[in-house]
Coordinates of all heavy atoms in Angstrom, one line a residue:
S60 N 21.6 4.1 -6.6 CA 22.2 5.3 -7.3 C 22.0 5.2 -8.8 O 21.7 6.2 -9.5 CB 23.7 5.4 -7.1 OG 24.4 4.2 -7.5
E61 N 22.0 4.0 -9.4 CA 21.7 3.9 -10.8 C 20.3 4.2 -11.2 O 20.0 4.9 -12.2 CB 22.0 2.4 -11.2 CG 21.8 2.1 -12.7 CD 22.7 2.9 -13.7 OE1 23.7 3.4 -13.2 OE2 22.3 2.9 -14.9
S62 N 19.3 3.7 -10.4 CA 17.9 4.0 -10.8 C 17.6 5.5 -10.5 O 16.8 6.1 -11.3 CB 17.0 3.1 -10.0 OG 16.9 3.5 -8.6
L63 N 18.2 6.1 -9.5 CA 18.0 7.5 -9.3 C 18.6 8.4 -10.4 O 18.1 9.4 -10.8 CB 18.5 7.9 -7.9 CG 17.7 7.5 -6.7 CD1 18.4 7.6 -5.4 CD2 16.3 8.2 -6.7
R64 N 19.8 7.9 -10.9 CA 20.4 8.6 -12.0 C 19.5 8.6 -13.2 O 19.3 9.6 -13.9 CB 21.8 8.0 -12.3 CG 22.5 8.7 -13.4 CD 23.8 7.9 -13.8 NE 23.5 6.6 -14.3 CZ 23.1 6.4 -15.6 NH1 23.0 7.4 -16.4 NH2 22.9 5.2 -16.0
K65 N 18.9 7.4 -13.5 CA 18.0 7.3 -14.7 C 16.8 8.2 -14.6 O 16.4 8.8 -15.5 CB 17.7 5.8 -14.9 CG 18.8 4.9 -15.4 CD 18.3 3.5 -15.5 CE 19.5 2.6 -16.0 NZ 19.1 1.2 -16.2
L66 N 16.2 8.2 -13.3 CA 15.1 9.0 -13.1 C 15.4 10.5 -13.3 O 14.7 11.3 -13.9 CB 14.5 8.8 -11.7 CG 13.3 9.7 -11.3 CD1 12.1 9.4 -12.2 CD2 13.0 9.4 -9.8
H67 N 16.6 10.9 -12.8 CA 17.0 12.3 -13.0 C 17.2 12.6 -14.4 O 16.9 13.8 -14.9 CB 18.3 12.5 -12.2 CG 18.7 14.0 -12.1 ND1 19.5 14.6 -13.1 CD2 18.4 14.9 -11.2 CE1 19.7 15.8 -12.8 NE2 19.0 16.1 -11.6
Q68 N 17.8 11.7 -15.2 CA 18.0 12.0 -16.6 C 16.6 12.3 -17.3 O 16.5 13.2 -18.2 CB 18.7 10.8 -17.3 CG 20.1 10.7 -17.1 CD 20.8 9.5 -17.8 OE1 20.1 8.5 -18.1 NE2 22.1 9.6 -18.1
V69 N 15.6 11.4 -17.1 CA 14.3 11.6 -17.7 C 13.7 12.9 -17.2 O 13.2 13.7 -18.0 CB 13.4 10.4 -17.4 CG1 12.0 10.7 -17.9 CG2 13.9 9.2 -18.0
A70 N 13.8 13.2 -15.9 CA 13.2 14.4 -15.3 C 13.8 15.7 -15.8 O 13.0 16.7 -15.9 CB 13.3 14.3 -13.7
S71 N 15.1 15.7 -16.1 CA 15.7 16.9 -16.5 C 15.7 17.1 -18.0 O 16.1 18.1 -18.5 CB 17.2 16.9 -16.0 OG 17.9 15.7 -16.6
N72 N 15.2 16.1 -18.8 CA 15.0 16.2 -20.2 C 13.8 17.2 -20.5 O 12.7 16.9 -20.1 CB 14.8 14.9 -20.8 CG 14.8 14.9 -22.4 OD1 13.9 15.5 -22.9 ND2 15.7 14.3 -23.0
P73 N 14.0 18.3 -21.3 CA 12.9 19.2 -21.5 C 11.8 18.7 -22.3 O 10.6 19.1 -22.2 CB 13.6 20.3 -22.3 CG 14.9 19.7 -22.9 CD 15.3 18.7 -21.9
Q74 N 12.0 17.6 -23.0 CA 10.9 16.9 -23.8 C 10.2 15.8 -23.0 O 9.0 15.7 -23.0 CB 11.5 16.3 -25.1 CG 12.0 17.3 -26.1 CD 10.9 18.0 -26.8 OE1 9.7 17.7 -26.7 NE2 11.3 19.2 -27.4

Side-chain angles (χ1 to χ4, degrees):
S60 57
E61 177 65 14
S62 72
L63 285 168
R64 182 187 64 79
K65 290 180 179 178
L66 178 62
H67 189 273
Q68 282 182 336
V69 173
S71 58
N72 185 294
Q74 295 284 346

